[in-house]
Amino acid sequence: MEETTGRSTKKKVVVVGGGLVGALNACFFAKRGFDVEVFETREDIRIAKVVKGRSINLALSHRGRQALKHVGMEEKIVSKGIPMHARMIHSLSGKQSPIPYGRKGQFILSVDRANLNKELLTGKIFFYSSAKVFVTYVAAIFLRSDGSNEQIKADLIVGCDGAFSAIRKQFLRRSRFNYSQTYIPHGYMELTMPPINGEFAMKPNYLHIWPRNTFMMIALPNLDKTFTCTLFMPFEEFEKITTGDEVIEFFQKYFPDTIPLIGVDALKTDYFRLPAQAMVSIKCSPYHIGDKCVLMGDAAHAVVPFYGQGMNAGFEDCLVFEEIMDQLNEDFSTVLPEYTRVRVPDDHAIADLAMYNYVEMRAHVNSKWFLFRKRVDNI
Ligand code: FAD
């Protein structure tokens, strides 16, 4: 496994999953001089015409930027992001009220998921079509569709294969592995708000929110001057709407200001383009097996998206692992348990905060603002 080149010995790392966290992780290991191979089941997104992902854009925050900075990618990614200084709350009457994210000058960034993933995917990447992968003590075994398999030996196997991780399944077979998953009753659907006369249809430097208590819509800006609107709603509510006219009726009732911006015809068709997607929260522990295998990103901790920290926390996993590698001289037998010890409580806390924000964003943000206005405007 260890490859001797000249005087130095290169350790081999296999990263399973070339999504956001796997791709960034590969940059970290490569920077350390390891021989890194990434295995990804999707086709190569750098050349694919249609890129499927869990959302079109996402919010990058300080936590994620710190990790990007470490591998020299921060500026490149930030230059293609759109700063969002505040949430912009849309009331039912169409009134817009900003709530800043922090102090003046502080912001989070709206970034394009596919572009971010493409920028991070560098080095040795192998694309294979079977989703079946097994981990033994020394190798990742990839099953081909014809039944044959390929064994890739490595010093370390890193599971970055997302919320439905095949690597994590191997952990489930072991004693004293804790695992829990919770699907929330809400699903999500993405709709596009096009530019108007070549300009953004709403103020671009905000994360727009339409809180409506049991459901909500949010919109993040894109570089092409569109907004991606995401409607979060209980599945049973999604299912009640079965015709284009019912979509318009629903939007008229809850999001009337968005109808002229998204467009009646677009709403009537886009709503039925894809079914609403599920959201799951997953916690597990430990994150490692011996000195050979470790989980990071959604494979270790899928969180609901309401705190905007899933990817950011996954990026931070890579940075924390890197720091522990420095502290413990790259000795996997001590690095992996230490990573579990340090990281599990923090990731579980993020999962809990995300679940809390699930209610905060759609309901509390509404009532707090209402109370504030009550004080200021005496309404
Ligand atoms: P993924 O992005 O799921 O990547 C996993 C990769 O592994 C994929 O490329 C997949 O094809 C591959 N794979 C799967 N199985 C195998 C296998 N057996 N072998 C090889 N490869 C495999 N996070 C934020 O920080 N900010 C946000 O604003 C935000 N918004 C979100 C909005 C929505 C609607 C959703 C659903 C999520 C959002 N998130 C956000 C969370 C974020 O999307 C995830 O945390 C992030 O994608 C995790 O990255 P990952 O690389 O761990 O997993």
Side-chain angles (χ1 to χ4, degrees), residues 232-307:
F232 296 97
M233 194 159 74
F235 275 100
E236 58 196 37
E237 299 297 328
F238 273 115
E239 283 151 17
K240 278 185 195 159
I241 300 171
T242 55
T243 66
D245 287 343
E246 284 170 3
V247 177
I248 300 303
E249 214 175 293
F250 171 79
F251 270 74
Q252 195 63 58
K253 193 164 174 193
Y254 296 108
F255 313 111
D257 56 335
T258 65
I259 298 180
L261 307 182
I262 300 177
V264 170
D265 291 342
L267 268 174
K268 281 184 172 177
T269 50
D270 291 359
Y271 186 91
F272 299 103
R273 218 167 23 93
L274 285 174
Q277 306 293 303
M279 285 170 283
V280 68
S281 181
I282 292 173
K283 285 182 180 172
C284 70
S285 170
Y287 287 166
H288 72 286
I289 299 178
D291 62 350
K292 279 286 175 286
C293 186
V294 65
L295 300 174
M296 295 195 204
D298 278 18
H301 48 79
V303 301
V304 289
F306 306 103
Y307 199 47

Side-chain angles (χ1 to χ4, degrees), residues 16-22 39-42 54-55 58-59 113 128 131 133 160-162 166 188 296-299 305 308-312:
V16 180
L20 298 172
V21 176
F39 288 82
E40 168 58 52
T41 43
R42 276 183 312 185
R54 301 186 60 204
S55 63
L58 13 71
R113 176 189 289 266
Y128 71 106
V133 55
C160 293
D161 49 345
Y188 71 93
M296 295 195 204
D298 278 18
Q309 287 297 333
M311 166 197 69
N312 286 294

Side-chain angles (χ1 to χ4, degrees), residues 32 34 321-330 332:
R32 221 165 241 289
F34 285 20
F321 192 84
E322 170 81 358
E323 285 166 1
I324 297 173
M325 287 279 275
D326 280 344
Q327 285 158 18
L328 301 175
N329 301 318
E330 300 180 353
F332 293 146

Side-chain angles (χ1 to χ4, degrees), residues 152-187:
I152 311 289
K153 293 197 171 171
D155 295 288
L156 181 68
I157 296 158
V158 189
C160 293
D161 49 345
F164 307 101
S165 168
I167 298 288
R168 193 185 57 229
K169 279 200 191 109
Q170 303 294 297
F171 284 56
L172 284 169
R173 297 147 66 116
R174 300 174 67 87
S175 169
R176 298 176 61 209
F177 177 67
N178 295 312
Y179 175 79
S180 69
Q181 73 172 43
T182 309
Y183 278 95
I184 57 170
H186 283 60

Side-chain angles (χ1 to χ4, degrees), residues 191-195 201-202 210 217 219 225-229 257-258 261-262:
L191 302 163
T192 302
M193 183 182 287
M202 301 184 295
W210 292 258
M217 189 159 78
K225 304 212 166 147
T226 60
F227 276 92
T228 302
C229 307
D257 56 335
T258 65
L261 307 182
I262 300 177

Side-chain angles (χ1 to χ4, degrees), residues 57 82-84 86-91 94-97 191-210 212 217-222 224-230 255-262:
N57 53 21
I82 300 177
M84 299 183 290
R87 309 160 188 90
M88 182 66 88
I89 310 300
H90 293 243
S91 75
K95 185 176 162 56
Q96 299 186 30
S97 318
L191 302 163
T192 302
M193 183 182 287
I196 295 180
N197 298 328
E199 285 306 322
F200 281 106
M202 301 184 295
K203 289 184 180 167
N205 295 110
Y206 295 90
L207 193 156
H208 292 262
I209 310 179
W210 292 258
R212 299 293 181 260
M217 189 159 78
I218 65 167
L220 272 72
N222 299 307
D224 63 3
K225 304 212 166 147
T226 60
F227 276 92
T228 302
C229 307
T230 312
F255 313 111
D257 56 335
T258 65
I259 298 180
L261 307 182
I262 300 177

